Amino acid sequence: MRRRCFPILLLAVVLSLFGCATQGPQTAPQPGTGEPLAAAYKEETITQAGLETYKKQLAYVEGEENLPSDREILDSLLKNIILLEEAQAQGLTPTQGEIETYLQETLYTACALPEGKALIDDYCASQGVPYADYEADLRDQAPRFLARAKLKEKVARDYCQAHNLTWEANNWPQEVQEAVAAYEEDLWQAHKKDVIYYR
C-alpha cells in the first residue's frame, strides 16, 4: 500500500521526476572525479549518488518499507534508458507544444490547486530541493518521459490495429497493457547484454 493516497494528477507530477538519475550528463561522471557508478548501458550511466536520489524519491511515495532491492531499482532505470533509446531511434520525440501541454496539465494545474501546491511543497521539502529546481528538473525530464510514452502508445496502437481492437487513448484493455509490457520485456532481454553493473 502506498504511503499516501494522492489524487492521480498530483501523484503523476511527483512520479514524473522519477528516472532523473538516469539520463545524460546528470549522471555521467566528470573525468578525474572518480564518481562511483552503479550501472551503465552503452554511453549512459547511473551513478551511485543518482541511485540514492532516486531511492529517496521513491521512498516518498511508496514508503521505506516497500522499496524494491537496489538491483530491481537499477533494472527499472535501465529499462527506461533503453525505452528512450528505442523511442529516439523511431523518431518519437515530443514537440515543444506537447512538452508545454504536459507541464500545464500536470505541474502547473497541480500548483493552482491548494492541495496540489501543498503536496509539491511537501515533496520538495522532503527531498531538500527548492521549487525552482524541481520545476527545472521536471521540464528537463519532460521530453524523455513523453518520448517513452509515445513509444508505448505506438506499440499499443499497432497491437490494436493488428488485432482489430478499437483504440482508446485513455482506456487500454488488459490485453493491450499486457502486449505493451511484453514489448518492453522483449526490448530489455534484447539489450541487457550491454548493461554493466558496478555493485
Side-chain angles (χ1 to χ4, degrees), residues 28-198:
Q30 298 301 311
T33 63
E35 187 175 0
L37 294 178
Y41 171 74
K42 297 181 179 179
E43 299 301 316
E44 298 286 350
T45 58
I46 302 172
T47 63
Q48 184 59 43
L51 173 62
E52 293 304 319
T53 295
Y54 181 86
K55 288 169 62 178
K56 186 177 179 182
Q57 294 170 338
L58 189 60
Y60 177 81
V61 174
E62 300 292 347
E64 292 279 355
E65 68 281 4
N66 296 317
L67 283 180
S69 69
D70 283 5
R71 178 58 66 89
E72 289 172 324
I73 293 172
L74 282 172
D75 284 351
S76 176
L77 295 173
L78 290 161
K79 287 175 183 179
N80 274 345
I81 293 175
I82 293 169
L83 277 174
L84 178 61
E85 178 185 62
E86 182 62 23
Q88 292 172 336
Q90 295 189 30
L92 301 173
T93 55
T95 65
Q96 190 59 41
E98 288 172 328
I99 293 169
E100 295 302 327
T101 296
Y102 166 73
L103 292 171
Q104 182 61 49
E105 292 178 348
T106 54
L107 178 62
Y108 301 131
T109 296
C111 284
L113 302 170
E115 63 271 31
K117 183 63 165 58
L119 167 63
I120 292 171
D121 286 347
D122 182 66
Y123 173 77
C124 288
S126 75
Q127 304 300 306
V129 298
Y131 170 80
D133 288 354
Y134 170 78
E135 181 181 10
D137 285 344
L138 188 60
R139 179 173 289 278
D140 181 65
Q141 286 303 312
R144 302 178 182 106
F145 176 85
L146 292 173
R148 292 192 296 266
K150 279 176 172 284
L151 176 59
K152 293 178 185 181
E153 182 175 307
K154 180 179 182 297
V155 172
R157 281 180 179 273
D158 289 349
Y159 183 88
C160 287
Q161 184 175 10
H163 293 81
N164 296 314
L165 298 175
T166 301
W167 166 251
E168 295 183 59
N170 298 314
N171 185 27
W172 296 2
Q174 184 66 29
E175 178 182 352
V176 176
Q177 295 179 44
E178 291 174 356
V180 173
Y183 173 87
E184 292 182 60
E185 181 60 24
D186 288 346
L187 202 61
W188 169 245
Q189 293 300 327
H191 291 277
K192 69 178 184 179
K193 65 182 183 299
D194 296 316
V195 168
I196 300 173
Y197 296 99
Y198 293 93

